[in-house]
Amino acid sequence: MNDKSSQVIDTMARKCIVGRMRLMNRVITGLYDSALRPLGVKASQFNILVVTGQLGLARPAEVCSILRLDTSTLSRNVERMRTQGWLEIVPAEDARAQPFRLTEQGRLLLEQCAPAWERAQQGAEELLGEEGMTLLDKLARKLGLPMS
Amino acid sequence: MNDKSSQVIDTMARKCIVGRMRLMNRVITGLYDSALRPLGVKASQFNILVVTGQLGLARPAEVCSILRLDTSTLSRNVERMRTQGWLEIVPAEDARAQPFRLTEQGRLLLEQCAPAWERAQQGAEELLGEEGMTLLDKLARKLGLPMS
DNA sequence: GCCATGTATTTGTATATACAAGAATATCCC
DNA sequence: GGGATATTCTTGTATATACAAATACATGGC
């Protein structure tokens, strides 16, 4: 490999935003997955539970817009969580819609997640530091996240 | 749902680090996936190509350590990329090892990715802003990323 | 040399994710 | 009211990801 090629590759390695983002995502997700494992919940599912809990009655399109998820992704996640008994579909006027909400069991589960979530949250804060937390807040706002 | 429950859920929604991290990851990954799509490369694969290019001869365990990837994940990614003709396995002394490197085609592809990567990179920088970029650098260092 | 132990990787299984295409229903306009 | 169009969601397909278990080889002690 010649020098020019090496240089280009080196630049892409050192500056790549998506590389960093994905790596950090794996690390942080691992933290929460570990903490939530005893409850049988994954980080992805936890976030859906939380948003559903906030909305009360959740329209898939709305949840996807909030979480920036493809509708097909949510569709399958909801299906799995429905199978677990955490969510239930609610009949709607519009026959196309499939609004859902937490079941009683789902609400209980979500509350039971709180201590594990706290622990993971603390671990993540330690990793990121005070400064990192502030930064994350700003990034979230920069991306216009509804969760900020 | 009573007030106490709502409060807990609201806190988890507003403060959740993993939620933000995963959401930002989806947004940023989408940016790079779109830019790289004409080349038939995904963000995940691009990052493996880059690290392999840097290492020259890449041992799976080493790549996994750098990218914080499970070995089983890398194993399958490498297999797909080998099928594409981008990577090749190199025989090693230790018969357990499966070191690999870029093929000529893989090296060319990686170089051809540079303009698309630049475009995605610019898009990401616009999203994150100057400040966000600095923050990301710091986060990366905080997590001890080798890519910083 | 052999056996226990350790190391490097793959395989089995499950979830998460997105794009493209399909299905079902609603709306609009004539 | 009926057909074109838009909306909402699901299905088909492919990749990414991790954990647990299996495989295959190496190493060290006896």
Side-chain angles (χ1 to χ4, degrees), chain A residues 1-2 4-6 8-29 32-33 43-44 46-47 49-54 56 66-70 102 107 110-111 113-114 117 120-121 124-143 145-148, chain B residues 1-2 4-6 8-29 32-33 43-44 46-47 49-54 56 66-70 102 107 110-111 113-114 117-118 120-121 124-140 142-143 145-148:
Chain A
M1 198 170 341
N2 63 37
K4 172 111 168 295
S5 180
S6 289
V8 171
I9 293 174
D10 197 53
T11 302
M12 293 192 292
R14 282 184 300 101
K15 305 225 165 131
C16 189
I17 295 167
V18 80
R20 287 178 180 178
M21 188 64 82
R22 292 176 64 82
L23 193 156
M24 290 194 295
N25 180 55
R26 285 190 292 271
V27 172
I28 301 284
T29 295
Y32 287 75
D33 276 349
S44 45
F46 172 77
N47 287 309
L49 286 177
V50 168
V51 171
T52 306
Q54 277 202 307
I66 291 172
L67 292 178
R68 307 288 202 286
L69 265 182
D70 193 88
L102 296 181
R107 195 183 59 75
L110 186 46
E111 284 173 25
C113 283
W117 175 78
Q121 194 79 355
E125 283 178 22
E126 264 174 48
L127 267 181
L128 303 178
E130 184 76 30
E131 196 177 35
M133 292 298 295
T134 310
L135 193 53
L136 203 57
D137 270 359
K138 288 187 183 162
L139 282 191
R141 256 189 285 282
K142 199 92 192 177
L143 284 174
L145 303 204
M147 21 179 5
S148 59
Chain B
M1 196 169 347
N2 63 37
K4 172 113 169 294
S5 180
S6 289
V8 172
I9 292 174
D10 197 53
T11 301
M12 294 193 291
R14 282 184 301 100
K15 305 223 163 134
C16 188
I17 295 167
V18 80
R20 288 179 179 178
M21 189 63 85
R22 292 176 64 81
L23 194 157
M24 290 195 294
N25 180 54
R26 284 191 293 271
V27 172
I28 300 282
T29 295
Y32 286 76
D33 276 349
S44 46
F46 172 78
N47 286 310
L49 287 176
V50 168
V51 171
T52 306
Q54 276 201 308
I66 291 171
L67 291 178
R68 306 288 201 288
L69 265 180
D70 191 87
L102 296 181
R107 194 183 58 76
L110 186 47
E111 285 174 26
C113 284
W117 174 79
E118 289 269 18
Q121 194 78 354
E125 284 178 22
E126 264 174 50
L127 267 181
L128 304 179
E130 185 78 28
E131 196 177 35
M133 291 299 295
T134 309
L135 193 55
L136 202 57
D137 271 357
K138 287 186 183 163
L139 280 190
K142 198 92 191 178
L143 283 174
L145 303 204
M147 22 180 2
S148 60

Side-chain angles (χ1 to χ4, degrees), chain B residues 64-119:
Chain B
C64 287
S65 157
I66 291 171
L67 291 178
R68 306 288 201 288
L69 265 180
D70 191 87
T71 56
S72 65
T73 300
L74 183 67
S75 178
R76 274 136 183 167
N77 287 352
V78 166
E79 170 57 21
R80 277 186 283 267
M81 295 167 77
R82 206 186 52 72
T83 304
Q84 295 290 323
W86 304 339
L87 300 179
E88 62 189 352
I89 309 292
V90 180
E93 299 259 320
D94 190 330
R96 291 169 304 183
Q98 294 278 274
F100 56 89
R101 66 181 165 213
L102 296 181
T103 59
E104 180 60 19
Q105 188 192 337
R107 194 183 58 76
L108 270 174
L109 175 65
L110 186 47
E111 285 174 26
Q112 286 164 354
C113 284
W117 174 79
E118 289 269 18
R119 280 194 300 280

